[in-house]
Amino acid sequence: MTAPPVEEIDAVSGVDDPVVQVSHLTLRFGGVTSLSDVSLAVARGEILAVIGPNGAGKTSLFNCLTGVYVGEKGTISFLPRPGEQVPLAGRKPHRITQLGLARTFQNIRLFNALTAIENVKIGVESRQRTGPIGAMLRLPRTRREDRASDARASELLEFVGLRAQANRLAAALSYGEQRRLEIARALATQPALLLLDEPAAGTNPAEKADLERLIRRINTEMGLSVLLIEHDMRLVMSVAARVAVLNFGKLIAAGTPAEVQRNPAVIEAYLGAADPEEGESDAAPG
Amino acid sequence: MSEFANPPASGDGDSGFGPSVRRIVASLTDSDWRRLGGCMFAAVLVALMTGTSGNAQHLTAGVTGSLFRPRIVFFLLIGLALWAVMTAWTRYRDDIRDGLAPARKVQAEVTGNRWVQYGGFVAVLLLAILIPPQLSVFWQQVLVSQIGVFVLLTIGLNVVVGFAGLLDLGYIAFYAIGAYTAAYFTGYPDNKRGHISPLPVHPPFHVNPFFVFPLAVIACLIAGLLLGAPTLRLRGDYLAIVTLGFGEIVRIVINNSESVTNGPRGAFGIPHFSIDVWKLKYHWTLDLMPYWYLLVAIIAIVFVLFRQLENSRVGRAWTAIREDEVAAAATGIPTLKYKLMAFAIGASTSGLAGVIFASEVGFVAPDNFVLINSLLVLVYVIFGGMGSLPGAVAGASFLIWLPNKLRDLVAPQDRFIYFGALLVVMMIFRPQGVFPSRRRAREIGLAEAGSGGADAMAAPGGAL
C-alpha cells in the first residue's frame, strides 16, 4: 500500500466536549497490528461514523472500547457527564456497560430462546439492585422493580417499533426486527454513548430507511451520542455528522462526510484494497 | 426368514391380506429395511442380555439358553412391533403432528396457566403427604434416605446446570461438606459426662442437629465460593473437569484425614433432629415418616423459592449468560458474579440434603460421596429436563424408584443395564427431558433448526 503522505491524522481536533476520547490506541494480536496509534473522539450528542474496508480494525476499535480487548498502548477515557472522566482500558465489559456505553454486534447476538420483551428487560435490569434473596422471596422492592422493568421494556419496544412483537421469541423475528431489538436491548442499559456495529448489514432498503430514522431519533429524542460502524455509504452520509476512516488499523482521514468523500487517501483505500463485492459500489462516492 | 411376511401382520390384517402385504413391502424404503435390521439386532441383544447366564461347565449355555427357546420369538415380535411403530411414525409424523396441533395448543394453555400449576403443586404435595404412610417400610426407607435427599440435591444442581448452564461434575462434594458439618457441630466440646462426638475432633460448642442447617448452608456457601471464584472463568468442558477434580479431592481428603474425620470408618452416632425451643418440643426418632415430612416441607419451600428465582431478574440473567456470555456481559450483566451466585445457591441446597441424610442415617462415610453419585444427580437433572423444577423432582424420583423396583423383576446385577438403556433411549428420542423448561425446550428446538438468525446473515451480501 502506498501510504498517504500525511503528518498526523486524528479525529479529535475540534471536539470540545467529548463523550469518549481515544488517544494513541494500539492493539496487536501476535504479529498482526489491528489498530495502530488511533486517536478519535466522539463529541457529546454527535453521530460519528467509522468506515473502512473489511479488516480495517473497526470492530477491533469497538471491542477495545467495550472492554473485550485491552489495547497494548494508548488510553480511552469515557465522560458519561461533562467533566466526569473515567478511564476504560482494563475494565470488564459489564462495568463499561454500567458506566453508560452500550453496543450492538455485527452478527446479531440476541438471547434467542427468550422473548423480545425479555431480551429488553435483561438490559433494563442491569441497572436494578434485586439480589437472589429478594428474588426468591419476591420482596416488595423486587415486585416494584419487576413492574418498572416491564414498563420500561415496553416503552423501548414501542420506540423501536416492536411493540406488537413483544411476546414473540427473538429467534422468530425477521432480520431487520432482530437488529432493532438488539438496539432496544442496548438502549435499555441507559447508555450515554451507543455503539452500533454495522446495523444495516443484511437489511433490505425499507428496513434501512427505518433504521436511518431510528438512529436519528436515538440521537435527537433520547439525546444519545452514537458511534456507528457501517458499510452502507448512503446511510453513513445521511446520518453522520463526522466520519473517520480506518485502513489497515490506521486512521487515514476524518472530517465531515463531504470532506471524507473527496479525500484521495479514502478513495484509494476503497478502490485499491476493498473486496469488490462490498467496497467498490459503496465507496465510489458520487 | 419369516419376518418378510410379518410387517403387515402388526399393521393391518383386514381384507385383501395378500395384496396389501405386497403393497406395503413394495413401499418400504432402504432406510426402513435398515431400521428393521437394527430392531431385529436389538431384539436378539436384549434376549441375550436378559437370558440365562453362562457357566464354567457349559460356556455357550448363556447363548443357547437365551436364543434357542420360544422366548426369542417373543423378543423378535416385540422388535418387529417397535419397527412398525417407528416406520409408521417417520412416515406419518407430519400428519400426526398436524392432527395433534390443536390438542397441543390446549395442553400448552392448560399447563401454562398459573392456577393449574398451583393446583398441580398442591396435588403432588398432598400425594406426598398422604401416600407414604401406606407404603411398606422398604419403600419408606427408599423415600427418605434416597428419593427425598436426592430430589433436594437434584433441585440444587438444577440451579447450577439448568439455570446457569454450568456443568458441575463434583456436586456431591457439597453434600459431603454439609453432612460432615452436621457431624462436626452435633458433637460436644469435650467427652466428659459420657458425651460422644461423631468425629474425633470437638466443636467449640454443641448444636442441636436441627440448628445445624444454617451452619451447613454457610459452610457449603463458602466452599462453593472458594471453588467457584478461581474456576468459573472456565467454560463448559474445562469447568466440568475442574469440578470433577474438586469432588474427588474432597472425598479423598475426608478418606485420608483419619484424625479429623475418622477416615474410611466415617462419622457415626450423629443424633436425630430435635426441636426444643420454648414450648415447641419435637424429637425425630427411628420412625421414618417424620423425616419424610421434614423433607417434603424443605423440598416444597426450596421449590417455591427457586421458582420465584427462575422468573426474576436473576433467572433471566442466568438464561442470558447460558445463551451468550459475551452478549450478556455487553448488556451489563456481571457474568462471574452471577455464575458464582448459581454455584453458591446450588451448593447450599446440597448442604441441606447433607444434614438431613446425616441425621436420619446417623452415619456418614466417604463411600456416600463417590463420583457416581455426582453423575447420578446430573443424570436426574438431564432426564427430568434441564432448568425445570418439576422435571428435577420427577426425574430424581423416577430414576431412583426404577432400580429399586427392578430389584423384584430382574436379576439384581442387571438392574443398571436397564437403567442405562432407558437413559440411552431417552436421550435419543427426547433429549429435552421429561418436563423440559419452556426456555430450554426452545433452545433445543432452535439448535435443531440451525438457529434462524444465522441463515439470514448469509442471504443478502450483494444487496447493498
Side-chain angles (χ1 to χ4, degrees), chain A residues 130-150:
Chain A
T130 296
I133 307 279
M136 282 190 209
L137 301 175
R138 270 189 91 60
L139 298 176
R141 184 170 80 185
T142 311
R143 295 171 195 228
R144 208 164 52 232
E145 285 190 346
D146 202 28
R147 275 196 301 273
S149 137
D150 262 328

Side-chain angles (χ1 to χ4, degrees), chain B residues 157 160-161 165-170 236-237 239-241 243 343 378 382:
Chain B
L157 187 63
V160 183
V161 179
L166 307 166
L167 188 50
D168 183 352
L169 296 183
D237 318 357
L239 180 67
I241 301 297
T243 51
F343 223 63
L378 185 65
I382 294 170

Side-chain angles (χ1 to χ4, degrees), chain A residues 15 31 41 79 148 200 232 241 273 277:
Chain A
V15 176
L79 299 93
D232 186 87
E277 194 185 45

Side-chain angles (χ1 to χ4, degrees), chain A residues 23 39 42 62 87 112 172 174 200 221 229 242 265:
Chain A
S23 338
S39 295
V42 184
F62 263 34
N112 280 322
S174 77
E221 289 176 28
I229 290 180
R242 283 193 310 140

Side-chain angles (χ1 to χ4, degrees), chain A:
Chain A
M1 276 319 301
T2 47
V6 277
E7 53 285 11
E8 183 146 324
I9 293 175
D10 62 44
V12 175
S13 47
V15 176
D16 300 329
D17 176 18
V19 62
V20 74
Q21 185 151 19
V22 177
S23 338
H24 308 291
L25 183 66
T26 300
L27 174 72
R28 285 201 188 91
F29 295 106
V32 184
T33 305
S34 187
L35 291 171
S36 133
D37 202 28
V38 172
S39 295
L40 170 152
V42 184
R44 195 172 301 284
E46 112 177 302
I47 299 179
L48 173 68
V50 176
I51 64 171
N54 288 336
K58 304 182 298 290
T59 299
S60 293
L61 176 66
F62 263 34
N63 283 338
C64 283
L65 282 169
T66 52
V68 178
Y69 300 152
V70 179
E72 191 178 283
K73 271 186 251 148
T75 58
I76 305 173
S77 18
F78 180 53
L79 299 93
R81 273 164 293 279
E84 184 185 320
Q85 187 166 340
V86 210
L88 288 190
R91 281 184 198 272
K92 292 257 182 287
H94 69 91
R95 278 298 297 147
I96 291 178
T97 305
Q98 285 169 353
L99 284 170
L101 204 150
R103 73 172 293 178
T104 65
F105 293 89
Q106 190 175 345
N107 45 343
I108 303 175
R109 302 184 83 149
L110 289 165
F111 308 122
N112 280 322
L114 295 177
T115 59
I117 194 160
E118 283 173 320
N119 268 274
V120 182
K121 279 179 81 172
I122 287 172
V124 179
E125 285 159 355
S126 69
R127 297 266 170 202
Q128 296 183 341
R129 312 259 316 271
T130 296
I133 307 279
M136 282 190 209
L137 301 175
R138 270 189 91 60
L139 298 176
R141 184 170 80 185
T142 311
R143 295 171 195 228
R144 208 164 52 232
E145 285 190 346
D146 202 28
R147 275 196 301 273
S149 137
D150 262 328
R152 181 66 187 146
S154 302
E155 262 173 51
L156 284 167
L157 283 178
E158 178 90 65
F159 184 80
V160 300
L162 290 176
R163 187 63 190 271
Q165 325 288 340
N167 290 317
R168 290 182 61 200
L169 285 189
L173 299 179
S174 77
Y175 197 67
E177 288 170 338
Q178 292 191 353
R179 286 271 177 214
R180 278 183 282 151
L181 179 57
E182 217 191 5
I183 293 175
R185 184 181 69 187
L187 290 173
T189 63
Q190 299 179 21
L193 172 66
L194 181 65
L195 308 180
L196 298 175
D197 197 347
E198 295 194 27
T203 55
N204 65 37
E207 288 171 334
K208 222 164 268 178
D210 283 347
L211 190 72
E212 195 179 314
R213 235 170 294 134
L214 180 61
I215 295 174
R216 283 227 183 79
R217 284 174 60 217
I218 289 170
N219 184 237
T220 53
E221 289 176 28
M222 294 189 144
L224 294 190
S225 321
V226 178
L227 181 57
L228 171 75
I229 290 180
E230 190 47 72
H231 272 306
D232 186 87
M233 286 304 144
R234 219 188 48 74
L235 179 68
V236 168
M237 296 305 158
S238 88
V239 300
R242 283 193 310 140
V243 179
V245 189
L246 280 176
N247 193 23
F248 291 106
K250 283 198 179 64
L251 203 59
I252 59 167
T256 64
E259 284 166 11
V260 166
Q261 264 176 316
R262 285 194 301 273
N263 190 314
V266 177
I267 295 170
E268 191 191 326
Y270 268 91
L271 294 182
D275 70 86
E277 194 185 45
E278 281 186 329
E280 279 180 16
S281 59
D282 290 340

Side-chain angles (χ1 to χ4, degrees), chain B residues 397-418:
Chain B
S397 309
F398 178 73
L399 287 184
I400 294 169
W401 169 83
L402 183 71
N404 281 303
K405 184 70 191 169
L406 286 175
R407 212 188 283 267
D408 308 334
L409 300 176
V410 300
Q413 68 271 28
D414 289 354
R415 280 186 297 155
F416 281 92
I417 295 181
Y418 294 92

